[in-house]
Amino acid sequence: QVQLQESGPGLVKPSETLSLTCSVSGYPISTYWGWIRQPPGEGLEWIGSIYHTGSTYYNPSLRSRVAISLDTSRSEFSLKLTSVTAADTAVYYCAHILTGPYYFDYWGQGTLVTVSS
Amino acid sequence: VLTQSPGALSLSPGQRATLSCRASQSVSNSYLAWYQQRPGQAPRLLIYGASTRATGIPDRFHGSGSGTDFTLTITTLEPEDFAVYYCQQYDSSSWTFGQGTKVEV
């Protein structure tokens, strides 16, 4: 059974760095993974993706502030978003990407991150 | 850019729902997917490759279309189908979602 679980602080202060980890079980980590977020009451926004080779791809609107990394030994991948503002308040999802058709077939349950002082 | 219409659809159980997703540039059929999101839940993959149902998805869900115009049809709405639906495309290592269509009672 494939399981993805996001973890990290639920509250981050403005101008600080948001850090989340996605722990993966039931699926080889050596594949393609992504982060998606959803502000309260709004739609889905792709943040970025990472391939098991270490290649990363980011939403152009967030590229200057985002970094995604992969730790194959721990079967987890991580998201860092710097210089956060209230506009970064959202539910953050991690997901598996099926290579080839490039859709998100497995999702974590999501974690709400609030940016507030 | 993916533009979904309508923004909201008010229907009753048993009725047919037709949701549209229009792309600003031509999309390969292989790279167009649809997701369902119920309140408080993560999105769930419904359709990939524009028309292939994902595992476990009932056959009342149909995806169609090509080029820049894609459609998700729910032939007979069940109570659990009232949710928000998103289309998603992939192009050159970039993923984009539509803004969503809410199917409401």
Side-chain angles (χ1 to χ4, degrees):
Chain A
Q1 182 182 359
V2 180
Q3 289 190 317
L4 288 78
Q5 180 67 58
E6 304 90 350
S7 61
L11 181 64
V12 181
K13 290 182 167 55
S15 80
E16 294 190 346
T17 297
L18 179 158
S19 296
L20 295 174
T21 296
C22 182
S23 300
V24 179
S25 60
Y27 206 102
I29 193 67
S30 298
T31 177
Y32 223 144
W33 306 93
W35 287 97
I36 301 100
R37 70 180 182 179
Q38 184 172 37
E42 297 186 24
L44 302 169
E45 179 182 32
W46 170 67
I47 300 171
S49 301
I50 186 165
Y51 195 47
H52 69 92
T53 57
S55 296
T56 51
Y57 309 93
Y58 300 129
N59 187 321
S61 68
L62 298 170
R63 181 174 288 133
S64 64
R65 298 194 293 129
V66 174
I68 297 175
S69 59
L70 183 67
D71 187 337
T72 56
S73 66
R74 299 169 63 93
S75 285
E76 60 186 35
F77 60 104
S78 299
L79 169 70
K80 290 190 187 300
L81 182 65
T82 63
S83 304
V84 297
T85 69
D88 296 309
T89 293
V91 174
Y92 286 76
Y93 295 100
C94 60
H96 173 257
I97 301 167
L98 192 65
T99 308
Y102 300 110
Y103 53 78
F104 302 95
D105 55 351
Y106 296 107
W107 295 66
Q109 64 186 25
T111 187
L112 175 63
V113 179
T114 300
V115 178
S116 175
S117 56
Chain B
V1 176
L2 292 177
T3 302
Q4 293 187 239
S5 62
L9 204 48
S10 294
L11 295 168
S12 300
Q15 289 190 298
R16 182 187 190 94
T18 303
L19 288 66
S20 173
C21 176
R22 179 162 291 178
S24 57
Q25 298 181 47
S26 185
V27 176
S28 165
N29 280 24
S30 300
Y31 299 151
L32 195 288
W34 289 91
Y35 302 83
Q36 177 193 65
Q37 186 177 34
R38 295 173 176 146
Q41 295 186 17
R44 175 175 71 143
L45 178 69
L46 290 178
I47 301 285
Y48 63 90
S51 60
T52 303
R53 279 186 297 275
T55 303
I57 302 303
D59 60 7
R60 62 181 181 273
F61 291 92
H62 293 274
S64 62
S66 63
T68 59
D69 289 298
F70 298 88
T71 300
L72 175 68
T73 302
I74 311 170
T75 54
T76 307
L77 282 165
E78 298 288 341
E80 62 268 27
D81 299 336
F82 291 92
V84 180
Y85 293 83
Y86 295 95
C87 56
Q88 171 253 309
Q89 71 161 358
Y90 167 83
D91 181 37
S92 301
S93 301
S94 181
W95 287 256
T96 306
F97 290 93
Q99 81 278 22
T101 291
K102 183 177 184 179
V103 178
E104 57 190 10
V105 180

